[in-house]
Amino acid sequence: MKEDTNTELYQNQQQQQPGSQQMCRTIQVVATVDHVDMSPPVFSPVMVAANTGDDLNLIPPLNFAMVDNGIFRSGFPDSANFSFLQTLNLRSIIYLCPEPYPEANTEFLKSNGIRLFQFGIEGYKEPFVNIPEDTIREALKVVLDARNHPVLIHCKRGKHRTGCLVGCLRKLQRWCLSSVFDEYQRFAAAKARVSDQRGEC
């Protein structure tokens, strides 16, 4: 099978008002192949043998967890996590930080045919700064679209920005607020922000 891989950058400019900021940047890897299987991925458990030197080391990113079938969350993955991420057969990554995606990570996406959706949400240390609702809404659309599954949602540490997006998903799944907040606090630990919890969709 012959593959020719190119990277294209798509700017999401859906009805933006003058002076508004770009909401989402998408990088898509376009590959020409003889046959593309568009069926939903089949998940199978990954067995890891005891570490005997030659064995593959599968290290999940910080704060990694399964959110739902085909939806995962974590902190920022680095090269030590790439082997683990390959076992997830990801189609998409939702990146919630404004900083450019590192070159090593971009190369990993290209070589594995993973599409990047970047929603640049600033990480504030101030306790009463709200996460932009429009941006969260657009990111939720990507999460809810099964064509993007399996998908990994991440920010820097997989706590606040990721927690807000997952919390909004949980509300759509009709979770009670106390369960949504419990999950948020489990990942945010002692740094849970009242403003993030108040702003849950």
Side-chain angles (χ1 to χ4, degrees):
M1 177 167 26
K2 180 185 172 193
E3 291 191 14
D4 177 29
T5 305
N6 299 312
T7 301
E8 297 180 15
L9 179 65
Y10 293 92
Q11 305 282 335
N12 183 356
Q13 299 175 346
Q14 299 175 347
Q15 301 172 344
Q16 290 186 359
Q17 299 173 6
S20 66
Q21 294 182 351
Q22 173 184 338
M23 196 172 301
C24 173
R25 193 179 87 182
T26 305
I27 296 177
Q28 180 179 22
V29 177
V30 180
T32 306
V33 293
D34 295 334
H35 172 71
V36 177
D37 182 11
M38 294 304 288
S39 61
V42 176
F43 293 103
S44 58
V46 176
M47 301 298 287
V48 181
N51 193 0
T52 58
D54 294 344
D55 293 334
L56 183 63
N57 244 350
L58 300 177
I59 303 167
L62 176 72
N63 271 334
F64 176 82
M66 184 176 195
V67 174
D68 206 338
N69 288 331
I71 304 172
F72 304 93
R73 65 177 291 166
S74 75
F76 204 102
D78 62 27
S79 58
N81 310 128
F82 290 169
S83 293
F84 175 83
L85 293 179
Q86 285 177 316
T87 67
L88 302 177
N89 298 314
L90 295 173
R91 284 189 182 164
S92 307
I93 286 182
I94 297 174
Y95 173 48
L96 300 173
C97 301
E99 295 82 16
Y101 218 54
E103 186 63 32
N105 292 57
T106 302
E107 288 303 317
F108 171 76
L109 298 184
K110 286 181 195 175
S111 65
N112 288 279
I114 300 170
R115 189 173 180 186
L116 175 68
F117 294 89
Q118 182 173 2
F119 296 91
I121 300 172
E122 292 291 336
Y124 295 103
K125 295 190 182 203
E126 299 298 320
F128 298 107
V129 175
N130 293 322
I131 288 189
E133 290 180 29
D134 290 346
T135 306
I136 288 291
R137 228 178 263 115
E138 290 300 312
L140 265 175
K141 288 178 186 176
V142 175
V143 172
L144 294 171
D145 187 343
R147 294 173 296 181
N148 296 321
H149 294 179
V151 60
L152 173 68
I153 304 164
H154 80 82
C155 53
K156 284 192 179 168
R157 292 181 183 82
K159 295 181 178 185
H160 307 298
R161 289 170 275 203
T162 299
C164 286
L165 181 57
V166 170
C168 291
L169 174 65
R170 297 305 193 197
K171 281 197 65 180
L172 291 175
Q173 294 174 325
R174 299 184 181 270
W175 278 33
C176 67
L177 282 178
S178 61
S179 295
V180 172
F181 294 152
D182 285 347
E183 182 181 44
Y184 174 87
Q185 289 174 331
R186 194 167 50 249
F187 286 93
K191 293 184 74 177
R193 296 178 179 149
V194 174
S195 63
D196 288 348
Q197 293 178 26
R198 219 183 282 135
E200 299 275 359
C201 299

